[in-house]
């Protein structure tokens, strides 16, 4: 079956513009996660969705960042008024039920460059 | 506050030899640990995991060791193959679902 897909694969934008990144999780996976990887660093947790529960937004770095998920399918991560420090690879992952001992399956990421 | 640290940014080994990648953590609430492998321009792929109730888990050429008293885990790959060349991330969770990742170690296996 299909894995996690993300679009676009690359995005170049100008400082101050808004961007929207999309994630399609594996079908049937109720948990969805967004992470960010800056150059030379590890993955940084941003937000987590589990079913109909309120999302865990504790990793969002500022109020310019927001994310939505439609049911148990597609999620979009929106960054408003982008800054150069937002340049990173944004990775989406999904897992079956969202428990701590589950494997998270990652998409290929969206490479965002803010000029 | 870096709760998961991989102190070696790179490691180079000869094909056929053992690769040992190390990871240290500070949060004693972590109860599940994972290793992911990442090739360029791809997302991380799950490799192997270990629960805090165990001290060793083996899967083929890959073995993960957990030393809870030292808050240290390691990944052993033996024998190493050129296709193992990738960035390896250590990750941990504390009873929930969010993973905390280390910075990664670039492994290069030379033919």
């Amino acid at each position: 079956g299909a894995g996690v897909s993300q679009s676009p694969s690359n995005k170049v934008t100008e400082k101050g513009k808004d961007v929207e990144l999309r994630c399609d999780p594996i079908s049937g996976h109720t948990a969805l996660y967004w992470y960010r990887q800056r150059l030379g660093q590890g993955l940084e947790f941003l937000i987590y969705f589990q079913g109909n529960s309120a999302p865990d937004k504790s990793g969002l770095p500022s109020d310019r960042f927001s994310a939505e998920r439609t049911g148990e399918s597609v999620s979009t991560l929106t960054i408003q008024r982008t800054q150069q420090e937002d340049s990173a690879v944004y990775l989406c992952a999904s897992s079956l039920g969202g428990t701590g001992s589950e494997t998270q399956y990652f998409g290929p990421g969206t490479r965002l460059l803010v000029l | 506050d870096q709760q998961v640290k991989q102190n070696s940014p790179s490691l180079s080994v000869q094909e056929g030899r053992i690769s040992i990648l190390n990871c240290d953590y500070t949060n004693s609430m972590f109860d599940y640990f994972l290793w992911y492998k990442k090739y360029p321009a791809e997302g991380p792929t799950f490799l192997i995991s270990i629960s805090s109730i165990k001290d060793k888990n083996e899967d083929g050429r890959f073995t993960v060791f957990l030393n809870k008293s030292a808050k240290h885990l390691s990944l052993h790959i033996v024998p190493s193959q050129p296709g193992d060349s990738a960035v390896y991330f250590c990750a941990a969770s504390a009873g929930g679902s969010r993973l905390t990742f280390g910075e990664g170690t670039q492994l290069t296996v030379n033919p």
Side-chain angles (χ1 to χ4, degrees):
Chain A
V4 177
S5 60
Q6 293 185 244
S7 62
S9 54
N10 292 282
K11 177 71 177 179
V12 180
T13 190
E14 293 179 350
K15 178 181 171 182
K17 297 282 181 70
D18 297 352
V19 295
E20 199 171 272
L21 312 179
R22 177 187 168 109
C23 171
D24 282 90
I26 294 172
S27 177
H29 280 193
T30 63
L32 186 148
Y33 315 78
W34 284 97
Y35 293 87
R36 172 172 77 173
Q37 185 185 15
R38 289 168 156 162
L39 190 64
Q41 298 185 21
L43 281 72
E44 174 190 358
F45 168 78
L46 297 178
I47 188 169
Y48 157 58
F49 296 90
Q50 170 57 53
N52 294 321
S53 303
D56 175 0
K57 303 180 182 180
S58 59
L60 294 178
S62 79
D63 59 7
R64 296 186 296 104
F65 287 72
S66 63
E68 292 184 349
R69 187 179 186 194
T70 309
E72 293 185 351
S73 59
V74 172
S75 175
T76 55
L77 176 69
T78 302
I79 309 172
Q80 296 178 308
R81 304 181 303 281
T82 52
Q83 303 294 312
Q84 288 180 333
E85 64 261 27
D86 299 334
S87 297
V89 177
Y90 289 81
L91 290 152
C92 174
S94 70
S95 68
L96 198 56
T99 67
S101 57
E102 276 184 352
T103 299
Q104 295 182 20
Y105 296 89
F106 283 82
T110 293
R111 283 148 194 81
L112 175 65
L113 177 62
V114 182
L115 300 176
Chain B
D1 175 26
Q2 190 69 25
Q3 297 186 54
V4 177
K5 283 197 69 65
Q6 294 175 253
N7 291 313
S8 298
S10 64
L11 174 68
S12 183
V13 299
Q14 208 63 30
E15 181 178 6
R17 299 290 186 99
I18 185 171
S19 296
I20 300 176
L21 297 106
N22 293 300
C23 178
D24 296 291
Y25 62 95
T26 58
N27 188 342
S28 57
M29 299 300 291
F30 287 145
D31 58 3
Y32 192 65
F33 304 87
L34 309 90
W35 284 93
Y36 280 83
K37 178 167 81 170
K38 186 179 184 302
Y39 293 117
E42 295 182 12
T45 55
F46 170 75
L47 199 54
I48 193 169
S49 63
I50 188 166
S51 164
S52 60
I53 62 173
K54 293 186 173 184
D55 54 18
K56 177 182 175 181
N57 188 27
E58 192 171 352
D59 183 2
R61 297 185 297 114
F62 303 91
T63 303
V64 56
F65 295 92
L66 176 63
N67 182 335
K68 288 187 289 295
S69 60
K71 294 191 176 66
H72 177 83
L73 68 156
S74 61
L75 174 68
H76 292 209
I77 307 173
V78 56
S80 301
Q81 300 173 354
D84 296 330
S85 297
V87 177
Y88 288 78
F89 289 98
C90 166
S93 70
S97 298
R98 60 183 290 178
L99 293 177
T100 302
F101 283 83
E103 308 94 323
T105 297
Q106 171 70 57
L107 173 66
T108 302
V109 180
N110 300 303

